[in-house]
């Protein structure tokens, strides 16, 4: 008989595993990317892995696109070395401060929706990012505490004038005027709606009767019969006139014949 002895884990080993849980490690980066060297990783998806510590992600110096959404990340300082990063998704985390992102000089698109950012002032550290054009802080399903202020987009736009799109809306460049106009109309309608809650709404009346454009074969048949009757009456009247003319012409014939006959006898 073979006896299996279950040795308890060493305290130090358990402590080490606890520390590694939720931390980005070299093994995790290589497994998720399929690369053997961290410098060779250009794109990584670490979505929804319970990450709270970005660990050694800063060693992926060639990283261009990173999805770190739906984790427990609070600090971003370990992203500071990723100067080639162009697209970064940090949505649905627990981020308060944006310190660490100011060195990402090639960053073009940043998603921060669903975090704990309390004010527009937190974005001041991003003013030096000349290539940043797309920013998402509120996508309806995910938001931030400061988005409760309806004017937050204008405030961010003033602070970061190079941004072209905020939350999917064009704020600068071609098409921004249309978005601004639509926004003004929406706000005006909302204000009018709030002011007219007690106002009696009058239902608009139709310009034309409901059956105006409806084709009625019965009416069509009646119209045709009326036209045919008019034509028949006109024809009969013409025949009557011709008949009267014929009667007149025939009545003059006997007198002409009798005159010619008396001439012959003489």
């Amino acid at each position: 008989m073979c006896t299996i002895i279950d040795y308890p884990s060493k305290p130090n080993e358990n402590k080490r595993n606890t520390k590694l849980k939720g931390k980005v490690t070299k093994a995790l980066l290589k497994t998720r990317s399929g690369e053997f060297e961290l410098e060779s990783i250009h794109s990584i998806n670490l979505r929804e892995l319970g990450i709270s510590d970005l660990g050694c992600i800063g060693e992926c110096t060639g990283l261009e696109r990173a999805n770190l959404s739906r984790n427990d990340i609070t600090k971003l300082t370990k992203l500071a070395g990723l100067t080639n990063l162009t697209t970064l998704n940090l949505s649905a985390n627990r981020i308060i401060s944006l310190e660490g992102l100011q060195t990402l000089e090639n960053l073009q698109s940043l998603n921060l929706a669903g975090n704990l950012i309390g004010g527009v002032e937190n974005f001041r550290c991003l003013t030096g990012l000349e290539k940043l054009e797309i920013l998402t802080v509120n996508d309806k399903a995910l938001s931030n505490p400061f988005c409760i202020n309806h004017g937050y987009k204008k405030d961010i736009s003033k602070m970061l004038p190079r941004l072209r799109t905020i939350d999917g809306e064009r704020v600068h460049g071609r098409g921004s005027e249309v978005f601004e106009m639509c926004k003004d109309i929406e706000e005006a309608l909302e204000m009018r709606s709030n002011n007219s809650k007690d106002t009696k709404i009058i239902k608009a009346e139709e310009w034309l009767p409901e059956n105006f454009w409806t084709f009625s074969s019965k009416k069509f048949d009646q119209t045709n019969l009326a036209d045919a009757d008019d034509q028949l009456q006109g024809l009969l009247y013409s025949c009557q006139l011709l008949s009267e003319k014929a009667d007149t012409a025939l009545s003059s014939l006997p007198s002409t014949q009798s005159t010619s006959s008396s001439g012959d006898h003489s």
Side-chain angles (χ1 to χ4, degrees):
M1 176 181 275
C2 179
T3 304
I4 299 175
I5 303 175
D6 187 11
Y7 293 99
S9 301
K10 297 179 181 180
N12 291 336
E13 186 177 350
N14 289 334
K15 188 176 181 180
R16 181 173 177 273
N17 290 334
T18 302
K19 285 183 177 181
L20 289 176
K21 187 178 180 180
K23 184 176 182 179
V24 175
T25 62
K26 291 183 179 180
L28 177 63
L29 292 169
K30 292 177 180 179
T31 301
R32 300 289 294 187
S33 66
E35 298 287 347
F36 292 103
E37 301 293 335
L38 298 186
E39 296 82 358
S40 302
I41 300 175
H42 296 289
S43 179
I44 192 75
N45 185 355
L46 300 177
R47 182 180 186 273
E48 209 167 357
L49 295 178
I51 296 170
S52 57
D53 187 343
L54 292 173
C56 61
I57 196 171
E59 297 181 28
C60 302
T61 53
L63 192 61
E64 297 176 0
R65 296 175 299 278
N67 185 349
L68 297 166
S69 62
R70 298 190 178 278
N71 285 293
D72 296 317
I73 300 169
T74 56
K75 296 181 180 180
L76 306 175
T77 52
K78 293 182 180 180
L79 296 174
L82 304 178
T83 55
N84 289 315
L85 202 62
T86 61
T87 304
L88 178 60
N89 188 345
L90 290 166
S91 61
N93 278 281
R94 296 191 293 121
I95 299 167
I96 298 175
S97 172
L98 303 181
E99 289 295 325
L101 300 183
Q102 63 268 34
T103 62
L104 308 183
E105 55 190 29
N106 286 303
L107 192 63
Q108 299 174 14
S109 177
L110 176 61
N111 190 339
L112 291 166
N115 280 283
L116 303 175
I117 303 172
V120 176
E121 285 298 318
N122 293 74
F123 293 88
R124 192 168 295 281
C125 64
L126 306 182
T127 54
L129 301 183
E130 298 182 356
K131 296 183 179 180
L132 184 61
E133 295 185 345
I134 302 173
L135 177 65
T136 304
V137 292
N138 180 11
D139 63 0
K140 296 183 180 179
L142 298 171
S143 186
N144 278 277
F146 76 93
C147 295
I148 194 173
N149 176 15
H150 293 295
Y152 75 90
K153 291 179 185 176
K154 289 184 178 179
D155 295 337
I156 292 177
S157 180
K158 290 178 181 178
M159 184 177 293
L160 305 173
R162 296 184 184 89
L163 285 176
R164 290 183 177 273
T165 304
I166 299 177
D167 296 342
E169 295 185 9
R170 296 279 290 189
V171 293
H172 290 113
R174 183 178 297 177
S176 59
E177 296 85 358
V178 177
F179 275 103
E180 190 66 26
M181 181 179 67
C182 292
K183 184 180 177 182
D184 292 340
I185 293 173
E186 185 178 355
E187 290 177 355
L189 290 173
E190 184 178 357
M191 185 179 299
R192 184 174 180 179
S193 176
N194 293 334
N195 292 337
S196 61
K197 286 182 178 179
D198 299 329
T199 304
K200 184 179 179 181
I201 300 175
I202 301 174
K203 185 178 179 181
E205 296 182 358
E206 297 181 0
W207 294 357
L208 298 171
E210 293 182 358
N211 61 346
F212 183 82
W213 300 109
T214 305
F215 177 78
S216 175
S217 59
K218 184 177 180 181
K219 290 183 178 180
F220 181 76
D221 293 340
Q222 291 175 352
T223 302
N224 282 347
L225 289 173
D227 291 342
D229 184 63
D230 290 341
Q231 292 177 8
L232 179 59
Q233 293 297 330
L235 181 60
L236 291 174
Y237 181 70
S238 298
C239 291
Q240 184 178 359
L241 292 177
L242 289 174
S243 178
E244 291 176 355
K245 287 181 181 181
D247 290 341
T248 302
L250 290 174
S251 63
S252 62
L253 287 177
S255 60
T256 304
Q257 289 177 356
S258 59
T259 304
S260 58
S261 297
S262 59
D264 291 340
H265 288 293
S266 60

